[in-house]
Amino acid sequence: GAVVSQHPSWVICKSGTSVKIECRSLDFQATTMFWYRQFPKQSLMLMATSNEGSKATYEQGVEKDKFLINHASLTLSTLTVTSAHPEDSSFYICSARVRVAQTTEAFFGQGTRLTVV
Amino acid sequence: LAKTTQPISMDSYEGQEVNITCSHNNIATNDYITWYQQFPSQGPRFIIQGYKTKVTNEVASLFIPADRKSSTLSLPRVSLSDTAVYYCLVGAPMNRDDKIIFGKGTRLHILP
């Protein structure tokens, strides 16, 4: 199946610094990618939809100035957590869909564990 | 997007067949039912997708009754490695920019 790759797998940063997470579609082009956040023992929460060549669409309650999304090419979307604080510590996951027959199938990255100290 | 309801958690033993049922009373005509599996500290993985009746692949079977208001994911002869969270999603994923909204999922714990 299609492969979505995230980098890094984990990162530890100091409070107040910014962290960039990359999401790549390795063998297909993705005009749209999705970013999720997941806290321990909870489900995935959709943060935003990343659109190639245009602004991202953020879900209600997600600060767009805090979580900067850039989708500059058909295979790369980046999420930058700006001025990170301990409450931003979470598991961040990206996703993209691939058309399969009359429907689509979603593929997910392996996730990035962010710890802000 | 149709709302789904599934058990919060389930326990089973190795070698057993596990059935996880998902309710989706307001499923729309164009909606498909998709199940994902998520291991700790990993992204979700597609398991199976269906529209009606029965679908089977190398991993699982999906049973969908005629009214499509529920569905059952069946995992044959589970092993310890099947311990994971299983998500049932209902929607019409025809377009690559359609969002996927996750419910709470079912935490399956396989015991030796």
Side-chain angles (χ1 to χ4, degrees):
Chain A
V3 177
V4 174
S5 178
Q6 275 183 249
H7 178 80
S9 297
W10 59 271
V11 58
I12 301 172
C13 71
K14 291 185 176 180
S15 189
T17 62
S18 296
V19 173
K20 180 185 286 187
I21 302 170
E22 294 185 346
C23 179
R24 295 181 184 273
S25 55
L26 295 186
D27 50 359
F28 66 99
Q29 294 181 333
T31 55
T32 303
M33 290 185 177
F34 305 93
W35 286 96
Y36 294 84
R37 179 168 55 180
Q38 186 175 34
F39 293 109
K41 304 290 187 186
Q42 294 187 23
S43 184
L44 287 78
M45 186 193 79
L46 180 65
M47 298 175 67
T49 301
S50 171
N51 304 299
E52 188 269 333
S54 65
K55 291 182 179 180
T57 305
Y58 290 82
E59 295 299 303
Q60 190 172 8
V62 178
E63 301 174 58
K64 59 183 177 183
D65 294 331
K66 170 81 171 173
F67 300 99
L68 300 179
I69 291 173
N70 183 275
H71 195 149
S73 78
L74 288 171
T75 59
L76 174 64
S77 174
T78 61
L79 168 68
T80 301
V81 182
T82 63
S83 187
H85 288 96
E87 57 265 29
D88 298 322
S89 297
S90 189
F91 192 54
Y92 292 86
I93 306 168
C94 68
S95 171
R97 287 180 180 264
V98 175
R99 180 162 293 281
V100 177
Q102 295 182 334
T103 181
T104 62
E105 185 175 326
F107 292 89
F108 293 82
Q110 70 269 40
T112 297
R113 172 81 54 199
L114 170 63
T115 302
V116 184
V117 297
Chain B
L1 295 171
K3 179 178 167 57
T4 61
T5 303
Q6 47 184 128
I8 295 296
S9 66
M10 292 179 67
D11 288 342
S12 188
Y13 291 92
E14 278 193 295
Q16 300 281 318
E17 177 185 81
V18 172
N19 296 310
I20 306 174
T21 297
C22 178
S23 296
H24 28 81
N25 291 318
N26 58 340
I27 188 169
T29 303
N30 294 332
D31 285 345
Y32 281 70
I33 300 152
T34 310
W35 286 80
Y36 289 87
Q37 174 192 56
Q38 185 183 26
F39 296 116
S41 296
Q42 293 187 29
R45 182 176 74 108
F46 172 91
I47 300 177
I48 198 165
Q49 183 181 77
Y51 183 80
K52 61 181 180 180
T53 61
K54 177 183 174 182
V55 179
T56 297
N57 61 23
E58 63 278 6
V59 177
S61 294
L62 179 60
F63 298 92
I64 306 168
D67 66 4
R68 303 201 327 124
K69 292 184 183 300
S70 67
S71 60
T72 299
L73 174 72
S74 181
L75 305 172
R77 298 184 61 78
V78 293
S79 64
L80 295 176
S81 62
D82 291 314
T83 293
V85 179
Y86 293 81
Y87 296 97
C88 164
L89 290 95
V90 173
M94 302 306 180
N95 301 312
R96 286 179 289 184
D97 55 354
D98 284 349
K99 297 187 287 190
I100 296 179
I101 305 297
F102 284 81
K104 297 186 188 307
T106 297
R107 192 169 296 274
L108 176 64
H109 187 203
I110 305 301
L111 304 167

